[in-house]
């Protein structure tokens, strides 16, 4: 059974700092996704990573994928309060469905 | 098109009652998915349609759950004899058919069973 593990599960950081969220998965996957979810809201797609070595950046967020290590990272640069949310990674193991991690609840303090 | 639409947004029901949720996918998307998300967890896959055919069901989808997509457009998810453990956010997503098929999620229906 495919497992997706994120760490940390909770992250409290100060504005202006950098940090990384890690996403490990247990079996081969075609694609990896990062989503953002605000409280009580649905999922907003951030990045889709399609191949080994893929790197994508949008604003203060950068995602990368290492398929050999079965690891993706979401790096936050110079955090701002607006980035406070829960971040999920999800893997699509070729079965037309997504398997999600537990989520990382990020709180950015002024 | 404004994206995936789900109704109702919130539903409170008494234990033992039946509930039905509706999902309208993005119009040109022929794939439709249902997920369930409990508090503090990531979404879990329930079932998937391609056009009107239900192609996969998770073991999470007990006999009390049934999903339909009769004309390959909107879908309904019915829960019979609801239990408190059914309380969750039910998310619908849709995607195109193809090699790269990113799924777009609706706002979800939050179910509370009292």
């Amino acid at each position: 059974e495919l497992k997706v593990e994120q760490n940390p599960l909770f992250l409290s950081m100060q504005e202006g700092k950098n940090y990384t969220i890690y996403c490990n998965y247990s079996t081969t996957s075609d694609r990896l996704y990062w989503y953002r979810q605000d409280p009580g809201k649905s999922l907003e797609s951030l990045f889709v990573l399609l191949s080994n070595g893929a790197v994508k950046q949008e604003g203060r967020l950068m995602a990368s994928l290492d398929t050999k290590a079965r690891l993706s990272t979401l790096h936050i640069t110079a955090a701002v309060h607006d980035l406070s949310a829960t971040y999920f990674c999800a893997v699509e193991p070729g079965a037309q469905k997504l398997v999600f991690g537990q989520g990382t609840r990020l709180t950015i303090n002024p | 098109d404004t994206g995936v639409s789900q109704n109702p947004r919130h539903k409170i029901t008494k234990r033992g009652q039946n509930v039905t949720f509706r999902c309208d996918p993005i119009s040109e998307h022929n794939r439709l998915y249902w997920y369930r998300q409990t508090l503090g967890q990531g979404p879990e896959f329930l079932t998937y349609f391609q056009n009107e055919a239900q192609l996969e069901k998770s073991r999470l989808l007990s006999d009390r759950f049934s999903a339909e997509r009769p004309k390959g457009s909107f879908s309904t998810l019915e829960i019979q004899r609801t239990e408190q453990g059914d309380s969750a956010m039910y998310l619908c997503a849709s995607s195109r058919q193809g090699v790269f098929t990113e799924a777009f999620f609706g706002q979800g229906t939050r179910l509370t069973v009292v």
Side-chain angles (χ1 to χ4, degrees):
Chain A
E1 180 184 345
L2 174 59
K3 292 186 178 180
V4 182
E5 294 185 344
Q6 291 181 232
N7 73 83
L9 299 183
F10 298 92
L11 178 56
S12 181
M13 54 193 293
Q14 287 191 316
E15 280 191 328
K17 300 292 187 182
N18 303 334
Y19 210 81
T20 300
I21 300 170
Y22 297 89
C23 173
N24 289 89
Y25 53 98
S26 59
T27 61
T28 303
S29 174
D30 294 343
R31 289 182 277 275
L32 189 134
Y33 300 78
W34 284 97
Y35 288 90
R36 168 181 172 147
Q37 187 175 40
D38 292 299
K41 306 293 185 182
S42 190
L43 299 166
E44 174 190 353
S45 178
L46 295 174
F47 300 108
V48 183
L49 302 169
L50 301 177
S51 60
N52 187 42
V55 177
K56 290 196 174 180
Q57 183 164 4
E58 180 72 34
R60 300 175 188 274
L61 300 178
M62 183 174 70
S64 66
L65 178 63
D66 181 344
T67 57
K68 293 180 181 177
R70 297 176 184 163
L71 171 68
S72 180
T73 60
L74 180 66
H75 186 73
I76 303 151
T77 301
V80 293
H81 179 68
D82 287 351
L83 292 178
S84 295
T86 299
Y87 292 85
F88 291 96
C89 65
V91 170
E92 186 178 6
Q96 303 304 334
K97 64 184 180 187
L98 296 175
V99 179
F100 285 83
Q102 314 97 302
T104 296
R105 184 177 298 179
L106 174 63
T107 303
I108 299 170
N109 304 304
Chain B
D1 191 284
T2 56
V4 180
S5 176
Q6 292 187 245
N7 288 288
R9 295 288 306 279
H10 304 274
K11 178 71 177 179
I12 300 174
T13 190
K14 290 185 178 179
R15 190 173 49 187
Q17 298 295 306
N18 299 343
V19 294
T20 300
F21 311 141
R22 175 177 171 128
C23 171
D24 288 89
I26 294 171
S27 58
E28 63 268 26
H29 287 183
N30 65 342
R31 290 178 173 165
L32 187 147
Y33 313 80
W34 285 99
Y35 289 82
R36 180 175 70 185
Q37 185 179 23
T38 53
L39 201 61
Q41 301 297 316
E44 296 173 293
F45 171 80
L46 293 179
T47 190
Y48 148 61
F49 290 85
Q50 182 161 302
N51 299 312
E52 65 277 8
Q54 189 174 17
L55 297 185
E56 187 173 351
K57 294 196 296 185
S58 163
R59 62 180 181 274
L60 292 175
L61 214 65
S62 76
D63 291 344
R64 297 184 297 105
F65 287 70
S66 63
E68 294 182 343
R69 195 182 183 198
K71 297 182 180 179
S73 57
F74 73 91
S75 175
T76 57
L77 178 67
E78 181 184 15
I79 308 174
Q80 296 181 327
R81 304 181 303 281
T82 52
E83 301 173 356
Q84 285 190 320
D86 297 331
S87 296
M89 174 82 90
Y90 290 84
L91 294 164
C92 177
S94 70
S95 71
R96 300 175 192 267
Q97 185 173 350
V99 175
F100 172 49
T101 56
E102 183 180 0
F104 294 87
F105 284 81
Q107 294 287 82
T109 295
R110 181 168 295 283
L111 173 67
T112 303
V113 181
V114 297

